[in-house]
Amino acid sequence: MNHKHRATLHSLFAHPISSNINDKMVHSVIEGLGGEITQSTHGHAVIKLNGQSHGFHATHATLSKDQVVELRKFLEAAGIDPVRDYPL
């Protein structure tokens, strides 16, 4: 995982919640963590990582704060801790 991926991962867990996170960078981070993203019909995407699965609406832009919170909860459930596992 390169530095841009680590920075994006840390921004997902930052306080206050960022609303300026690019959807394409999140896809790269998930793939860098070993996850899979499959696009389904009607603009939905499914992420699979460490035995966890999460579906969300693909925006092709920046993520909303609600999407960041959902993604953060998913990553925590998948055992991802950016401070412990991917320090800057």
Side-chain angles (χ1 to χ4, degrees):
M1 182 176 290
N2 67 29
H3 183 72
K4 283 180 97 173
H5 293 155
R6 289 174 189 256
T8 301
L9 182 61
H10 280 265
S11 66
L12 288 169
F13 285 86
H15 295 283
I17 298 170
S18 177
S19 61
N20 192 23
I21 301 172
N22 188 299
D23 187 36
K24 289 181 182 180
M25 281 304 296
V26 171
H27 285 214
S28 295
V29 168
I30 297 296
E31 290 171 353
L33 292 170
E36 296 178 18
I37 299 175
T38 55
Q39 300 290 334
S40 62
T41 59
H42 307 295
H44 287 78
V46 177
I47 300 173
K48 293 181 183 177
L49 177 66
N50 296 341
Q52 299 289 320
S53 179
H54 178 69
F56 68 99
H57 181 74
T59 60
H60 302 294
T62 58
L63 299 178
S64 69
K65 290 184 179 187
D66 292 335
Q67 289 174 316
V68 172
V69 170
E70 287 180 29
L71 195 53
R72 182 187 298 175
K73 288 179 183 178
F74 167 73
L75 291 170
E76 288 173 343
I80 303 298
D81 182 359
V83 175
R84 179 190 69 211
D85 301 329
Y86 305 99
L88 288 177

